[in-house]
Each structure stands twice: as C-alpha cells, then as structure tokens.
Amino acid sequence: MTIIAFIGSVFSPYYKAAGRDAPEDHVSLNVALYGKGCRRWAMTERGTGALFRDRATLRIGPSQVRWDDATLVIDIEEECAVLPMKVRGQVRVTPQVYGQRRFRLDPGGKHVWEPIGPCARVEATFTNPDIKWAGTGYLDANHGSESLEDGFADWQWSRAHLKDGSTAVMYEGQLKDGADFGMALRITPDGQAEVMEMPAPVVLPKTAWRLDRMTRADAGYTARVRATWEDTPFYSRTALATRLWGEDVVAVHESLNMRRFDTGAVQWMLPWRMPRKA
C-alpha cells in the first residue's frame, strides 16, 4: 500500500502544461493497493476549490489527511482511473521513530526530502475493497522549488526496516546537469541519521517497459526482485529481497526516469491514469 498527497502534483500533465505556477490548483491523493485480489490505483487531480488545509488537516476533495494527536489519519474516498472501482477506507499511521532533520537532494537545495516517520505502525481498514491490514510502514515528505524534470535525470530510492528498529534508506541518481548524487543512511530508533558507506551496486532486471533499475547490497550478495508493484514507462515500484550491513531485509524500491517522463508520448498517456476534476 502506498498513499501520496500532492499539492502541485509533480507528475501531473495538467500542472506541467499550465507552467507549474499554481500548485494549489493541481492537488490529488494517490492511493495504490497491491494485495492479492484487491488491487486498486486511484489518482484524481482536483482544482483549488477542492483544497483545504490548516496546521492539522489537509483535505483534497472527499478525502483528507489529518493529525489526531500522534497519529496521522488518512480518510480515503476515491475512485480508480480507467475502471470505475471505488476506494474507501481509513489508514492510521503512528510514527514509532521521528526523523530529526531534512536533507537536500541537490547542491542548491531546490529539492528537499524529510523522513518524518521512518518507522511507523500502520493500521488500514477498507470497506471497498473489504480488507484490513496492520504492520510496519514509513512516512516521509518531499518539497521543491523547481520541477523534478528540471532538477533530475533519474533516481533510485529504497528503504528497509532493520531488526534493531533502525531504517535503512538509499537515495541516489543523476541530476539533470549530469552530476551524481547519493546517500546511504541508517536512521536509528532515536531519529538520528547515521551516514553509512554505500553498499555495492546491483543491477536489477529491467521492467516490462524496459526501465533500468539498480539498487545496493552487501558485497557478494545479489538482490532479488520479489514483486514489481508499479510498472510504468518512467517509474517503477518494487519489493526486493536484499542484504544490507550484514542483515537480510525486504526493501521497498523505486526507480524514476525523468527524461522519459518529459517525452510527448508519456505526457499523452498520463491523463488515462490521472483524470482531472475541476
């Protein structure tokens, strides 16, 4: 399960065509469920009139994200693209670890990433589809002052939970100007981010869309793709079995190629997955 709330939807063809000068007019709640027999994918873009926010609440159309004491409550009322299936439910995210700092992804600080709750307790109850789930999750945020395609050529990201309550996060790629960036972090149970030596690179199999994927693992260990959850022309989301700093882990991994995103063919296809309502 992945849920992302957007103000200024970074992958929106409408926002891109409008010149990205009014982020509040391009908002959406993306909900992706990958369980067996209950797959759903919803991402409806909405305009300024559908947005409300204050210090504790972010409301996007009929859905909302709100803090209830130390728990982030996500009330979901969405509809899938292409096939008109409903997505209705509530997800409660309670951070068990709070990140203590933000990180710049580029030298100029135009793109910032913040691991708010690198390890969290997640409880999900959906009425459509009819499922319940509880387990360990992750909460972060990104913001920026320029578009992703203006800042990056590509990136690879992954996170995995470790036995001692720490979270391993790898973030690396290439900026649009050709410079490489990367970091390997072990975020400890007190929220401190310890910079680690980057493990050895591992080239993963290409996706069905022939998207390149790579990750990191201890030297001599080959990471394995357990499942490819999201497979698009410019983005993939994958479950991996890998080994990091002497520990076998299951990692959530993503590959992003902004050169592909910026092509006319991809921009033409995107409205089929993310319709817009005024």
Side-chain angles (χ1 to χ4, degrees):
M1 174 177 60
T2 300
I3 302 170
I4 309 174
F6 291 95
I7 299 177
S9 186
V10 293
F11 302 125
S12 164
Y14 319 102
Y15 190 31
K16 179 177 173 63
R20 301 187 188 277
D21 59 353
E24 293 85 359
D25 196 40
H26 301 274
V27 298
S28 62
L29 185 76
N30 177 215
V31 182
L33 304 179
Y34 301 115
K36 184 177 180 180
C38 62
R39 289 183 67 92
R40 297 284 195 279
W41 200 95
M43 188 173 179
T44 299
E45 182 173 303
R46 303 176 191 275
T48 306
L51 173 66
F52 169 82
R53 56 176 169 167
D54 59 21
R55 289 181 61 86
T57 302
L58 170 63
R59 188 176 304 126
I60 298 174
S63 300
Q64 67 176 354
V65 181
R66 55 188 171 88
W67 284 104
D68 180 7
D69 293 329
T71 296
L72 186 69
V73 180
I74 308 169
D75 297 308
I76 300 164
E77 188 173 338
E78 298 292 329
E79 185 172 297
C80 296
V82 185
L83 298 177
M85 294 185 291
K86 305 294 185 182
V87 186
R88 302 285 188 273
Q90 185 181 89
V91 177
R92 300 177 63 85
V93 182
T94 305
Q96 296 172 308
V97 175
Y98 289 93
Q100 299 299 307
R101 57 169 292 191
R102 300 174 177 179
F103 297 86
R104 299 190 308 176
L105 299 180
D106 65 303
K110 294 181 179 180
H111 302 272
V112 177
W113 163 66
E114 182 178 3
I116 299 171
C119 186
R121 175 69 178 173
V122 179
E123 299 168 284
T125 302
F126 285 83
T127 56
N128 200 340
D130 184 13
I131 54 171
K132 287 187 177 183
W133 177 84
T136 302
Y138 168 92
L139 173 66
D140 72 357
N142 291 73
H143 68 266
S145 59
E146 71 174 1
S147 69
L148 289 183
E149 65 266 30
D150 285 344
F152 300 94
D154 60 56
W155 77 38
Q156 310 284 330
W157 172 92
S158 66
R159 61 94 176 167
H161 298 301
L162 306 177
K163 292 177 182 177
D164 69 349
S166 298
T167 302
V169 181
M170 311 286 175
Y171 224 142
E172 64 181 309
Q174 188 178 77
L175 303 176
K176 189 173 182 179
D177 64 9
D180 294 329
F181 75 96
M183 67 181 85
L185 302 175
R186 184 181 189 126
I187 304 175
T188 57
D190 63 359
Q192 300 300 317
E194 180 182 359
V195 178
M196 306 290 288
E197 182 178 351
M198 191 75 82
V202 177
V203 177
L204 299 168
K206 292 179 183 287
T207 66
W209 280 99
R210 310 304 294 166
L211 185 68
D212 290 329
R213 293 183 288 189
M214 67 86 63
T215 190
R216 298 279 174 166
D218 288 356
Y221 190 93
T222 300
R224 176 174 57 87
V225 174
R226 293 181 49 156
T228 298
W229 290 321
E230 207 70 63
D231 187 352
T232 80
F234 69 95
Y235 176 85
S236 71
R237 184 178 294 138
T238 306
L240 299 178
T242 186
R243 187 173 182 84
L244 297 173
W245 307 315
E247 187 174 326
D248 292 331
V249 296
V250 174
V252 176
H253 175 274
E254 71 176 19
S255 296
L256 176 68
N257 187 313
M258 293 310 296
R259 292 191 184 98
R260 284 197 179 185
F261 169 81
D262 213 19
T263 62
V266 169
Q267 292 300 306
W268 178 83
M269 288 188 287
L270 282 171
W272 295 94
R273 292 296 304 275
M274 49 181 76
R276 177 176 170 88
K277 292 184 177 180

